[in-house]
């Protein structure tokens, strides 16, 4: 039997019922917005985690995203449901989004690089076993190129019912955490990949019609299945590469006296380069960039494209170096020892407007300082003490703080690790939240009092006027010139 056989009786009617398997950072916001924009479609988001589903059904959603709570509350119980009854939701659905986690393998073949597809496989088997009518299955999780081939093989081997046909689409999610709702409401593009068969094209059209409810047709791109799968990895790799590029230039700035923000502005004005993703900091974090580059490296090595693999690996090497180099800078300027010194770490999430700490650069910085014996007090507006303990619980010299002031009291240094607006000077944040009172912070710190700005968000000159010794990533080494 050919692997991708044609559905003899493809359907073209509008999608009425959607099941989303996986109520995480991708599935939750994506399908909540879909339910909000398409009140005629019944959307059920299911998960094996009772705790997560309970949280989605409560007043305290399991993830923080600006604007999400209002959307969920307006549709929940109407056409948006959160449930652990995975089987019932699958059976009822015309279309199933597979939004389960695809972590990097930790053992066996491809350990450290390849995606662990056990959750995708489990979800696919369940769909195959339960379905009594034909369905469209949509890859939403970021998956390695040609995952649909494995899904097809599982479906064909498992599906017991004659006349039940599955069309597989790739519809990768490009939302960024912290701006997920805006990204979903006004996406740069919607990408839908399908096989070039009659039923594949029909399935592609049916999903495109769902998005066309609120997204302009010109922004809905249809491609082949493999191009769509690879595009997701490619987009994330290119974005991450840009951050490693700006990190490398920031390092040169620190040695030459050039300022990275000025260099970035000058480069970003070139319309061929564009202004986005040129902010130097502690390198990239988050659940996608590193994982997707690992996937790309694994793919390249599988096809014996060693120079290609090496090229992308260097983006990760640069990212690790950026974090380690910042920690070394802190220690060096604090007279090469931070042992028993109190250090306030502001921000623990991998970027602002999210409580997500996956691959957060703040974890690396905190660990480096804790290993050196510093007493590290961490404050983040959205990260819970429990989450911090999961990341750093092994260290007895880690402390949770509930405010900037408490973290900095009697400290020798303040380190900014996340670009939260509330850490920025009020004029630049554009927010009404009270800005940090650095003068009173300074009054309650040990001397000399250091500020290490890992995100380039503070007013260096103003802090120096107060008396701080300041180091800002990507700028000439101000601590040295002051001392
Ligand atoms: C990313 C992609 O942007 C998104 O399209 C994809 O679907 C998932 O991965 P996300 O990881 O949520 O989204 O955040 P993003 O805004 O891309 O930031 C990633 C990291 O890069 C963060 O740690 C951020 O602080 C850092 N970053 C971003 C910089 O250091 N400088 C920049 O200029 C931009
Ligand atoms: P992402 O950032 O890709 O959304 P998350 O880890 O936030 O990843 O979410 C993935 C969700 O998928 C988790 O809540 C996990 O419990 C759920 N999940 C994994 N496998 C299955 C499965 N077979 N059936 C239902 N839910 C699943």
């Amino acid at each position: 039997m050919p692997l991708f056989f044609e559905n003899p009786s493809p359907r073209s009617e509008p999608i009425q019922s959607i099941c989303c398997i996986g109520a995480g950072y991708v599935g939750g916001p994506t399908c909540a917005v879909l339910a909000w924009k398409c009140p005629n479609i019944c959307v059920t988001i299911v998960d094996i985690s009772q705790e997560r589903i309970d949280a989605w059904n409560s007043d305290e959603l399991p993830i923080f995203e600006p604007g999400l709570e209002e959307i969920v509350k307006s549709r929940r119980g109407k056409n948006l449901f959160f449930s652990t009854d995975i089987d019932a939701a699958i059976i009822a659905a015309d279309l199933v989004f597979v939004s389960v986690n695809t972590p990097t393998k930790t053992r066996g073949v491809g350990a450290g690089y390849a995606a662990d597809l056990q959750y995708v496989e489990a979800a696919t088997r369940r769909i195959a076993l339960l379905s009594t009518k034909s369905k469209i299955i949509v890859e939403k999780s970021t998956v390695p190129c040609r995952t649909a081939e494995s899904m097809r093989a599982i479906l064909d081997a498992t599906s017991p019912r004659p006349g039940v046909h599955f069309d597989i689409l790739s519809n990768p999610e490009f939302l960024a955490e912290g701006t997920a709702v805006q990204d979903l409401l006004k996406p740069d593009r919607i990408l839908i990949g399908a096989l070039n068969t009659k039923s594949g094209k029909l399935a592609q059209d049916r999903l495109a019609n769902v998005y066309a409810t609120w997204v302009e047709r010109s922004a809905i791109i249809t491609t082949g299945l493999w191009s769509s799968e690879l595009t997701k990895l490619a987009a994330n790799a290119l974005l991450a590469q840009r951050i490693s590029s700006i990190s490398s230039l920031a390092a040169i700035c620190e040695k030459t006296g050039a300022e990275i923000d000025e260099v970035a502005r000058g480069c970003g004005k070139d319309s061929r380069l564009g202004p986005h993703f040129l902010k130097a900091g502690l390198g990239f974090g988050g659940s996608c960039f590193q994982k997707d580059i690992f996937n790309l490296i694994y793919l390249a090595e599988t096809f014996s494209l060693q120079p290609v693999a090496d090229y992308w690996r260097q983006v990760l090497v640069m990212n690790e170096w950026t974090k380690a180099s910042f920690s070394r800078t802190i220690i060096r300027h604090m007279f090469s020892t931070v042992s028993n010194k109190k250090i306030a770490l502001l921000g623990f999430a991998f970027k602002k407007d999210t409580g997500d700490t996956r691959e957060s650069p703040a974890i690396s910085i905190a660990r480096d300082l804790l290993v050196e014996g510093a007493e590290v007090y961490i404050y983040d507006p959205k990260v819970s003490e429990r989450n911090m303990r999961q990341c750093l619980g092994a260290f007895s010299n880690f402390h949770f703080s509930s405010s900037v002031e408490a973290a900095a009291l009697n400290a020798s240094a303040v380190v900014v690790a996340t670009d939260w607006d509330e850490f920025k000077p009020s004029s630049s944040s554009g927010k009404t939240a009270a800005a940090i009172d650095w003068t009173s912070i300074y009054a309650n710190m040990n001397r000399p009092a250091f500020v290490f700005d890992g995100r380039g968000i503070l007013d260096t000159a103003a802090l120096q006027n107060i008396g701080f010794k300041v180091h800002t990533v990507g700028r000439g080494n101000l601590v040295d010139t002051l001392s």
Side-chain angles (χ1 to χ4, degrees):
M1 181 173 30
L3 199 52
F4 295 105
F5 63 89
E6 183 75 75
N7 180 0
S9 49
R11 298 160 67 200
S12 58
E13 64 267 28
I15 303 290
Q16 291 179 326
S17 173
I18 289 179
C19 164
C20 173
I21 306 182
Y25 283 90
V26 172
T30 307
C31 287
V33 167
L34 200 152
W36 193 51
K37 285 293 180 183
C38 305
N40 296 330
I41 299 179
C42 177
V43 179
T44 307
I45 306 178
V46 295
D47 204 291
I48 39 178
S49 163
Q50 185 70 52
E51 190 187 352
R52 215 161 205 188
I53 290 300
D54 288 347
W56 279 109
N57 281 321
S58 76
D59 283 341
E60 190 104 348
L61 301 188
I63 61 175
F64 168 71
E65 268 309 324
L68 182 62
E69 196 176 319
E70 293 79 355
I71 288 177
V72 168
K73 287 185 176 165
S74 77
R75 298 315 308 166
R76 202 168 51 191
K78 297 185 178 113
N79 69 324
L80 175 64
F81 303 92
F82 296 92
S83 168
T84 49
D85 192 349
I86 301 172
D87 296 359
I90 290 175
I91 290 167
D94 301 322
L95 180 148
V96 182
F97 283 119
V98 178
S99 303
V100 300
N101 33 338
T102 51
T104 305
K105 278 183 81 174
T106 53
R107 60 182 177 185
V109 178
Y113 288 90
D116 182 349
L117 293 177
Q118 60 167 306
Y119 305 104
V120 173
E121 180 173 339
T124 309
R125 279 188 197 284
R126 206 148 180 175
I127 298 168
L129 278 172
L130 291 167
S131 296
T132 49
K133 62 177 182 182
S134 295
K135 288 185 202 310
I136 299 172
I137 302 176
V138 186
E139 291 173 346
K140 205 67 175 136
S141 321
T142 306
V143 290
C145 193
R146 293 197 79 89
T147 297
E149 193 170 22
S150 312
M151 290 170 80
R152 175 91 264 165
I154 294 165
L155 291 168
D156 291 348
T158 318
S159 181
R161 297 183 174 83
V164 173
H165 178 83
F166 300 104
D167 283 296
I168 302 177
L169 299 177
S170 159
N171 172 219
E173 192 48 75
F174 294 103
L175 65 82
E177 288 177 34
T179 54
V181 171
Q182 279 317 308
D183 294 342
L184 287 159
L185 291 176
K186 239 189 152 323
D188 285 350
R189 78 304 208 182
I190 295 288
L191 183 57
I192 307 176
L195 282 182
N196 193 12
T197 60
K198 192 174 166 211
S199 62
K201 291 278 173 202
L202 263 178
Q204 200 171 34
D205 285 349
R206 290 175 81 198
L207 181 56
N209 289 339
V210 172
Y211 284 113
T213 315
W214 78 95
V215 179
E216 286 198 18
R217 284 277 175 187
S218 58
I220 302 175
I221 305 171
T222 53
T223 67
L225 202 45
W226 320 128
S227 303
S228 174
E229 287 180 342
L230 188 59
T231 300
K232 170 70 191 205
L233 296 184
N236 278 348
L238 288 167
L239 289 167
Q241 177 200 43
R242 212 167 141 97
I243 297 170
S244 279
S245 297
I246 206 72
S247 294
S248 74
L249 294 166
I252 294 179
C253 285
E254 289 183 16
K255 298 292 179 197
T256 57
E259 296 204 3
I260 194 61
D261 283 347
E262 293 181 346
V263 174
R265 197 162 68 240
C267 292
K269 277 287 179 192
D270 185 326
S271 60
R272 294 167 302 173
L273 294 170
H276 303 295
F277 263 69
L278 287 177
K279 182 72 188 159
L282 300 177
F284 53 80
S287 68
C288 290
F289 285 175
Q290 176 176 290
K291 190 179 79 172
D292 291 353
I293 292 179
F294 277 143
N295 263 310
L296 211 53
I297 293 169
Y298 187 68
L299 194 67
E301 285 181 340
T302 304
F303 295 114
S304 301
L305 301 169
Q306 200 54 45
V308 178
D310 292 344
Y311 176 79
W312 287 108
R313 190 177 278 114
Q314 198 55 32
V315 172
L316 298 178
V317 169
M318 187 64 229
N319 199 48
E320 290 307 308
W321 183 84
T322 303
K323 292 180 279 186
S325 155
F326 189 71
S327 297
R328 281 196 298 270
T329 299
I330 296 172
I331 295 161
R332 183 161 39 89
H333 287 306
M334 295 182 74
F335 316 108
S336 295
T337 177
V338 291
S339 186
N340 296 318
K341 289 180 182 168
K342 176 172 174 180
I343 297 181
L345 187 68
L346 304 190
F348 202 65
F350 79 96
K351 64 171 186 176
K352 72 172 183 176
D353 290 340
T354 177
D356 194 354
T357 59
R358 289 179 291 182
E359 306 300 334
S360 176
I363 301 175
S364 307
I365 309 298
R367 281 203 183 125
D368 290 344
L369 298 175
L370 289 163
V371 165
E372 292 283 332
E375 297 292 327
V376 181
Y377 286 69
I378 307 180
Y379 166 72
D380 187 287
K382 288 290 171 197
V383 180
S384 65
E385 181 171 3
R386 182 177 165 208
N387 186 335
M388 286 185 202
R389 287 211 179 277
Q390 278 164 354
C391 300
L392 301 171
F395 294 95
S396 58
N397 45 339
F398 145 70
H399 311 271
F400 173 81
S401 290
S402 53
S403 69
V404 174
E405 292 72 20
L409 183 66
N410 298 325
S412 298
V414 173
V415 177
V416 174
T418 308
D419 55 340
W420 282 102
D421 283 340
E422 69 174 73
F423 302 155
K424 296 177 185 171
S426 52
S427 55
S428 68
S429 70
K431 299 260 160 114
T432 48
I436 296 174
D437 181 353
W438 286 104
T439 307
S440 79
I441 298 244
Y442 181 76
N444 293 311
M445 284 178 69
N446 289 339
R447 300 288 180 271
F450 294 89
V451 171
F452 297 94
D453 181 1
R455 294 288 183 167
I457 57 172
L458 303 181
D459 183 339
T460 308
L463 293 174
Q464 286 172 339
N465 280 339
I466 293 170
F468 283 107
K469 291 180 177 294
V470 188
H471 173 84
T472 304
V473 77
R475 292 200 199 150
N477 195 332
L478 300 173
V479 176
D480 279 349
T481 54
L482 275 177
S483 50

